[in-house]
């Protein structure tokens, strides 16, 4: 949650937008975004790309950025041509944390009465799969944001951490909960209590990250994965995502019951019928998202 810029080495060059990213724009209104860049990617333009774009602040997560991110997520969620989303930052930082200058004068009453940070978790309610493509720093809120995604791909120089303890607070957007579920109590406790970071390699070994790629190819690898996901039935993909996520909220018995219900539900879809028919006929399935 914390953007600990004083703890980071000075970045001499600003973050650069990923090659091929267009000028900022909103798909719903046509108005330009200030803190993010959006685009459709993939051969069939079926992947939504969102790039955090506050380079001078190492993509610190100010309120305006979160509001724009939520709008972009809604745009892609409602776009029937998009089947998966990639969330990324810059080469130096995915996001170095929350905007400390913005929150430093908050009181308990401000936080409690105003439900501070409650709108950060919009990302967790998106039905379409989201891949975090993390290069550079993913610290505090940046790490929490990545953990809200369904898959995390990391560049080989990425660093993950929850350093809030160093500025007198604790993670406030799911860091203590999602990190513990991802890497286990011991490592999560060490990271939260010391503020120490872990490398991409350590993150993969601990189970936080699924794959590591060179910095320059990370975004394309994430898009390729998203394209593969988007080629499947959107409705069945949403069911699969719901079932996997339920494993973190339910007992094994409850989770298996939900899985069975969702499995049975696929038999009410045309895509299930098409998928199995195509398999028997030894041809590629033509899903209609029905």
């Amino acid at each position: 949650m914390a953007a600990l810029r004083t703890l980071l080495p000075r970045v001499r060059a600003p973050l650069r937008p990923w090659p091929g990213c267009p000028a900022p724009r909103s798909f719903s209104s046509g108005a330009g975004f200030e803190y993010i860049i959006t685009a459709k990617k993939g051969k069939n333009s079926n992947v939504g790309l969102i790039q955090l774009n506050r380079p001078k602040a190492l993509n610190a997560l100010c309120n305006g950025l979160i509001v724009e991110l939520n709008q972009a997520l809604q745009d892609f969620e409602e776009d029937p041509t998009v089947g998966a989303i990639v969330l990324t930052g810059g080469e130096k930082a995915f996001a170095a944390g929350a905007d400390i200058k913005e929150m430093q004068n908050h009181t308990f009453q401000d936080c409690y009465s105003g439900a501070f940070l409650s709108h950060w978790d919009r990302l967790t309610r998106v039905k379409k799969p989201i891949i975090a493509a993390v290069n550079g720093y993913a610290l505090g809120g940046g790490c929490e944001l990545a953990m809200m995604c369904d898959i995390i791909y990391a560049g080989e120089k990425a660093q993950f951490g929850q350093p809030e303890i160093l500025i007198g607070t604790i993670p406030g957007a799911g860091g203590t909960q999602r990190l513990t579920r991802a890497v286990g109590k011991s490592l999560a406790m060490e990271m939260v209590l010391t503020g120490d970071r872990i490398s991409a390699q350590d993150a993969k070994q601990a189970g936080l990250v699924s794959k590591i790629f060179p910095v320059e190819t990370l975004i394309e690898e994430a898009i390729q994965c998203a394209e593969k996901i988007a080629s499947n039935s959107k409705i069945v993909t949403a069911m699969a995502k719901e079932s996997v996520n339920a494993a973190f909220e339910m007992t094994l018995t409850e989770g298996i019951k939900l899985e069975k219900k969702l499995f049975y539900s696929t038999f009410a879809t045309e895509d299930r019928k098409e998928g199995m028919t195509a398999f028997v006929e030894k041809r590629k399935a033509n899903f209609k998202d029905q």
Side-chain angles (χ1 to χ4, degrees):
M1 187 178 64
L4 304 180
R5 297 189 63 190
T6 58
L7 302 178
L8 301 175
R10 176 169 295 185
V11 179
R12 295 182 179 179
L15 302 183
R16 300 189 302 274
W18 287 102
C21 284
R25 69 186 185 93
S26 166
F27 287 104
S28 62
S29 66
F33 286 128
E34 183 178 358
Y35 301 116
I36 65 172
I37 296 172
T38 62
K40 286 185 181 180
K41 292 292 186 177
K43 296 178 182 178
N44 297 315
S45 297
N46 57 359
V47 174
L49 176 66
I50 303 174
Q51 181 190 6
L52 309 182
N53 190 40
R54 288 190 73 198
K56 293 182 179 180
L58 294 176
N59 287 337
L61 303 172
C62 63
N63 182 68
L65 187 151
I66 297 298
V67 169
E68 291 186 0
L69 173 60
N70 288 345
Q71 180 61 59
L73 289 169
Q74 181 177 336
D75 291 344
F76 285 136
E77 180 83 308
E78 296 175 352
D79 188 334
T81 67
V82 171
I85 300 167
V86 173
L87 176 63
T88 192
E91 292 184 9
K92 297 294 184 182
F94 174 75
D99 193 322
I100 302 305
K101 291 181 179 179
E102 193 174 73
M103 71 169 65
Q104 70 178 115
N105 293 321
H106 279 25
T107 64
F108 166 76
Q109 289 82 0
D110 294 333
C111 294
Y112 188 79
S113 300
F116 185 47
L117 302 186
S118 62
H119 62 318
W120 279 41
D121 65 354
R122 171 69 178 86
L123 191 150
T124 65
R125 298 192 297 275
V126 174
K127 290 187 176 181
K128 295 176 181 178
I130 303 175
I131 301 172
V134 178
N135 266 321
Y137 304 115
L139 306 178
C143 187
E144 290 171 312
L145 194 67
M147 290 191 292
M148 291 181 201
C149 297
D150 302 301
I151 299 170
I152 302 179
Y153 278 6
E156 56 194 357
K157 297 180 180 180
Q159 296 184 38
F160 299 84
Q162 297 291 161
E164 289 85 352
I165 197 75
L166 302 178
I167 58 169
T169 188
I170 69 171
T176 62
Q177 302 303 301
R178 293 191 178 92
L179 185 63
T180 304
R181 285 165 169 77
V183 306
K185 177 183 176 181
S186 182
L187 180 55
M189 193 71 80
E190 180 182 5
M191 292 174 66
V192 171
L193 297 184
T194 66
D196 288 348
R197 310 171 204 159
I198 60 173
S199 66
Q201 292 73 24
D202 289 339
K204 184 177 185 300
Q205 185 176 2
L208 181 61
V209 166
S210 59
K211 291 182 180 179
I212 299 174
F213 298 99
V215 171
E216 61 273 11
T217 63
L218 172 68
I219 189 67
E220 284 305 319
E221 294 288 352
I223 290 173
Q224 287 179 25
C225 178
E227 282 187 281
K228 186 179 295 185
I229 293 170
S231 70
N232 297 318
S233 165
K234 294 181 180 65
I235 188 170
V236 176
T237 294
M239 291 180 185
K241 172 176 173 173
E242 179 182 352
S243 189
V244 173
N245 281 335
F248 293 95
E249 306 291 342
M250 297 179 170
T251 65
L252 178 60
T253 300
E254 292 170 336
I256 289 175
K257 286 182 179 179
L258 175 64
E259 181 187 75
K260 279 290 192 296
K261 290 179 180 179
L262 290 170
F263 169 65
Y264 296 155
S265 296
T266 66
F267 283 76
T269 68
E270 291 298 318
D271 284 346
R272 192 283 312 169
K273 184 185 297 184
E274 164 62 13
M276 291 189 177
T277 299
F279 177 82
V280 171
E281 296 177 352
K282 297 182 179 180
R283 61 175 175 81
K284 184 177 180 180
N286 182 24
F287 295 121
K288 300 294 187 181
D289 303 320
Q290 299 176 348

